[in-house]
Each structure stands twice: as C-alpha cells, then as structure tokens.
C-alpha cells in the first residue's frame, strides 16, 4: 500500500471541486484518518460542510475569509490580509503533522488573483521532506506552477449548470 504524502489539485470551471475534496475526507474518515480543511475566502456558518464537520470523526474545518464577495480583479486589503494569514495558518498546520489530509479549499483562486504568492506556496510545498500528509488544493485557475508540482490534477469542466437556467443555489446541494 502506498503511503500518503501526495499533492492533489481539483480545478476548472465546473462544479464539484470542494465536493470532491469533501468526498475524499469522508472516505478517509472511514479509515480513521484525520483531515483539516482550510477554506480560503469563505466565512459562512450556513454552509453544509460547516454544519456537518462536527459529525465526521477526525474532521476539522477552518474558514479564513469573510462572508463577502471577493473582487478577484481588485481584492480588498482585508481579503488579502485574511488570505495571507490563512496561508500562514495552513503552513503551521501542515508542519504540525497532526493530520493525514489537509485540504486547502479555494487556495488556487487566492493564488491566481495575487492574494497569496504562488511561488511561495510552490516553494513551501516543494520543501516538505518526508511529507506523509496528503495535500489537496482546490479552486478555479490553478496556477501552472502548482499543476506542475502536483501528483494528481483533475480539471472539472462545466457542460451545463442550473445557475445558467435561472436556478438559485440550493441548500444542501450547492452550499
């Protein structure tokens, strides 16, 4: 059996990146693994994963953003500050080796819009020696540097979406 310690990326314009990482955490929980999910640019206690986190053994969820729309072309200083602070928290959690899996949800977006330095993330991840923690990076716009570094990259492509047909986000399905 292979050891943990790979880097996975879920990216693309299709729905399901966060959901895929949560599915992995659900499966891992069944084997007694501990998972920490750090959600960048999110702070909403009404999300289903926030409510469910207490029921999944070994699963911890941290939100390191605010419940406001982030203008990706011109992020507010507070959003940049929260993303960078969240990245520092993520580094500490990764180095703590307390978790088998760490999900960095929406970090790809934070890097792509310059809120977190992509080279800094790549250098940190490259510098991990004998890492046994599986790292999952989600979000649209995964930088090429991160794609090149990853062991697994899945691009989810939107073909059809209810939003384009006027269906609002649905509780328990979309959030």
């Amino acid at each position: 059996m292979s050891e943990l310690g790979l880097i996975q990326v879920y990216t693309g314009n299709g729905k399901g990146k966060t959901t895929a990482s949560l599915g992995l955490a659900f499966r891992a929980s069944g084997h007694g693994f501990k998972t920490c999910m750090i959600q960048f640019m999110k702070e909403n206690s009404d999300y289903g994963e926030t409510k469910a986190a207490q029921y999944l053994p070994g699963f911890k969820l941290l939100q390191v953003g605010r419940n406001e729309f982030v203008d990706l072309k011109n992020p507010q200083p507070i959003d940049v500050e929260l993303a960078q602070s969240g990245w520092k928290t993520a580094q500490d959690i990764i180095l703590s080796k307390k978790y088998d899996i760490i999900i960095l949800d929406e970090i790809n977006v934070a890097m792509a819009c310059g809120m977190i330095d992509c080279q800094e993330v790549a250098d940190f991840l490259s510098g991990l020696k004998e890492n046994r923690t599986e790292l999952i990076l989600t979000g649209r716009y995964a930088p090429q540097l991160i794609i090149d570094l990853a062991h697994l990259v899945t691009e989810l492509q939107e073909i059809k979406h209810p939003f384009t047909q006027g269906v609002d986000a649905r509780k328990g399905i979309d959030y």
Side-chain angles (χ1 to χ4, degrees), residues 35-38 60-62 64 85-104 124 128 131 133 135:
T35 299
C36 182
M37 175 182 246
I38 302 163
K60 179 178 182 175
L61 181 114
L62 301 170
V64 294
S85 174
W87 169 236
K88 296 296 181 212
T89 298
Q91 291 175 72
D92 290 343
I93 290 171
I94 292 166
L95 293 174
S96 78
K97 300 182 180 180
K98 291 181 182 176
Y99 295 94
D100 302 298
I101 299 169
I102 296 175
I103 301 166
L104 304 175
F124 177 82
L128 294 173
N131 180 42
T133 304
L135 301 172

Side-chain angles (χ1 to χ4, degrees), residues 58-127:
F59 184 84
K60 179 178 182 175
L61 181 114
L62 301 170
Q63 292 182 322
V64 294
R66 60 189 184 121
N67 193 18
E68 303 289 331
F69 174 77
V70 177
D71 181 352
L72 301 181
K73 294 184 178 170
N74 188 24
Q76 296 292 314
I78 185 66
D79 295 314
V80 174
E81 181 182 319
L82 288 168
Q84 291 177 358
S85 174
W87 169 236
K88 296 296 181 212
T89 298
Q91 291 175 72
D92 290 343
I93 290 171
I94 292 166
L95 293 174
S96 78
K97 300 182 180 180
K98 291 181 182 176
Y99 295 94
D100 302 298
I101 299 169
I102 296 175
I103 301 166
L104 304 175
D105 188 41
E106 301 295 354
I107 195 170
N108 294 335
V109 177
M111 287 186 287
C113 68
M115 294 168 58
I116 299 173
D117 183 79
C118 179
Q119 186 67 55
E120 181 183 332
V121 173
D123 290 347
F124 177 82
L125 298 179
S126 296

Side-chain angles (χ1 to χ4, degrees), residues 47-58:
Y47 286 168
E49 60 265 28
T50 305
K51 293 177 178 184
Q54 64 184 316
Y55 301 111
L56 190 61

